[in-house]
Amino acid sequence: MALTAAEIETLAGVAQRKLMLSTDQGLSQQGQANSAAFILTRGWAFSYILLHDGSRQIVDFRVAGDFLGLRGLLSPMSDLFIEPLTDVEVTEFQIGELLGAGTKVPRLMSAILAGIARDQAITVEHLVSIGRRGAPERTAHFFLELGARLEEAGQGRKDNYACPLTQYHMADALGLSAIHINRVLRELREDGLLTFRKGEVFIDDYDQLSKLAGFDPGYLRAKTVF
Amino acid sequence: MALTAAEIETLAGVAQRKLMLSTDQGLSQQGQANSAAFILTRGWAFSYILLHDGSRQIVDFRVAGDFLGLRGLLSPMSDLFIEPLTDVEVTEFQIGELLGAGTKVPRLMSAILAGIARDQAITVEHLVSIGRRGAPERTAHFFLELGARLEEAGQGRKDNYACPLTQYHMADALGLSAIHINRVLRELREDGLLTFRKGEVFIDDYDQLSKLAGFDPGYLRAKTVF
DNA sequence: CGCCGACTTGATGCCACTCAAAAATAGTGG
DNA sequence: CCACTATTTTTGAGTGGCATCAAGTCGGCG
């Protein structure tokens, strides 16, 4: 988001410490205890909600550069859990300090708000997918979004990237059953659109897939206010 | 959210002008042109996304006290439209001024962020509903949330409130067809749980309905950071 | 009175779920 | 290195929830 050197220095003054976490260490409660949040610097994580009947809705997969646990600090008793999906590296910071720095450096606050707005836009797009797109379109859209985000984060190419998800993860993110995800993936593969194999995504026909999904990456861009 | 007199005065210094709008006047583009956003002070509005195939996903219904169009200012080319559902009264403000006031009065900034976090929590809850709840549970949850929000806004009781929605609105918000919404409403009515008639909602058995929906209003509360 | 939007109901069909189980892959300890 | 187990992927069969198509009812309004 192109901060100046001075702004990055301010941010560095806030950043607290790097943490390494592995798959079994949830980090939603962790942050809430000491009102800390995180920026994910390496690996994948995901945020989800657990329903009373045991089913799970994954809200988003988080990759390098994304905030983690911001909402938990602004909303009490957040039932939104966050878990690493791979081993991850996060940098922890105090929410108060970050916002304090933001008040001193308006452009920093603007960047924070832009990040929050982007997360909101992503959630809305997921809502649209689940609410109004059929299973193949939804699945296609999912992998296109991931590709765009990963490429932006320097984690691969938008049409070919490593992806540590199981089909159960995809199912819980897309509001489908894992079995049906499997069938949809096969269909997309046989149509020469997308291949998911052994933790790697190959988008075989980017244009056709984008057209199928109605994918427009506009919502992933954020705008600074000041 | 209990601001002090001084804080409210700061807010009043920001507030620009009251506008009256009727059903046919969209207000998403309106705000973006002059980087203004709104607080809805009377009436109902709704935000939605239009898909290429003409279908519509309603993201949220907005009632008195809610922000309108905040995201459009933080995210470029927002494809999120906002429209009045009834005649509405809004107070317009400049986003820059609001945030400027926020930097001077940290508790105000905290309140703004809490509002944003609440909106995010609401969107996530809709995502969960559409992704993992069946049609009756989803519909029940919808009316319970509306009731809670309206009661908080002083617009009725959580178990009995005026509701100017058509079944088409509900369908597009809940990811169902209007026809199926109709059947679900009948079912809920016949089970003595909820009655929707002529623009008014009666929740006949609040506890049973909450249990059916798995409704927990915790996510509607926001927390101040400072 | 005639029209139009919203609501209601019935019939039919498909998309995606569930149940069931085999095959492939990964992880583990001997 | 191999046997053993757990996890993930894959496929089949049957079912059901919700969509779509079709048509009729009700109420408001010009």
Side-chain angles (χ1 to χ4, degrees), chain A:
Chain A
M1 197 162 305
L3 294 175
T4 69
E7 285 153 9
I8 287 173
E9 191 173 336
T10 310
L11 198 55
V14 169
Q16 291 262 318
R17 54 181 175 136
K18 272 190 163 39
L19 292 180
M20 307 293 193
L21 298 171
S22 49
T23 321
D24 52 353
Q25 302 172 276
L27 50 123
S28 32
Q29 312 78 348
Q30 192 151 346
Q32 254 169 318
N34 53 0
S35 71
F38 309 90
I39 293 176
L40 181 58
T41 47
R42 200 160 46 76
W44 290 50
F46 67 109
S47 58
Y48 64 97
I49 281 187
L50 242 30
L51 300 212
H52 296 311
D53 67 355
S55 61
R56 175 177 72 169
Q57 176 65 47
I58 292 180
V59 174
D60 192 26
F61 296 103
R62 309 296 282 165
V63 300
D66 289 337
F67 280 120
L68 294 183
L70 250 197
R71 181 191 146 194
L73 298 176
L74 299 169
S75 171
M77 298 249 308
S78 178
D79 44 355
L80 187 71
F81 297 103
I82 302 177
E83 248 177 54
L85 194 75
T86 65
D87 289 352
V88 297
E89 180 186 287
V90 300
T91 84
E92 184 189 55
F93 58 86
Q94 300 300 121
I95 181 70
E97 289 191 34
L98 182 67
L99 296 180
T103 55
K104 279 185 296 228
V105 185
R107 268 176 52 80
L108 182 58
M109 180 60 84
S110 180
I112 295 168
L113 288 171
I116 292 174
R118 195 183 107 121
D119 285 348
Q120 173 74 1
I122 288 172
T123 307
V124 166
E125 200 63 32
H126 293 175
L127 182 71
V128 171
S129 257
I130 295 185
R132 284 293 179 226
R133 287 195 252 258
E137 295 80 5
R138 204 185 299 181
T139 306
H141 194 279
F142 175 76
F143 285 110
L144 288 165
E145 178 189 305
L146 266 185
R149 290 172 62 182
L150 287 166
E151 179 165 298
E152 187 193 335
Q155 299 279 116
R157 294 171 34 177
K158 67 182 179 183
D159 61 351
N160 173 217
Y161 53 88
C163 176
L165 307 179
T166 71
Q167 296 180 2
Y168 287 91
H169 288 122
M170 302 171 201
D172 283 346
L174 295 174
L176 298 168
S177 71
I179 292 164
H180 198 60
I181 283 283
N182 186 279
R183 295 191 220 276
V184 169
L185 286 177
R186 170 155 59 103
E187 190 187 318
L188 292 175
R189 183 177 353 108
E190 288 172 352
D191 290 349
L193 296 175
L194 175 146
T195 308
F196 175 84
R197 190 162 40 89
K198 288 160 80 74
E200 188 170 4
V201 172
F202 305 86
I203 295 183
D204 303 315
D205 188 335
Y206 198 88
D207 290 342
Q208 274 304 115
L209 197 68
S210 296
K211 190 171 154 219
L212 171 67
F215 179 66
D216 172 1
Y219 68 95
L220 291 173
R221 280 189 281 281
K223 174 167 81 172
T224 50
V225 180
F226 301 115

Side-chain angles (χ1 to χ4, degrees), chain A residues 127-134, chain B residues 51 53 55-57 171-172 175-176:
Chain A
L127 182 71
V128 171
S129 257
I130 295 185
R132 284 293 179 226
R133 287 195 252 258
Chain B
L51 301 211
D53 68 354
S55 62
R56 174 178 74 167
Q57 177 64 48
D172 283 345
L176 298 168

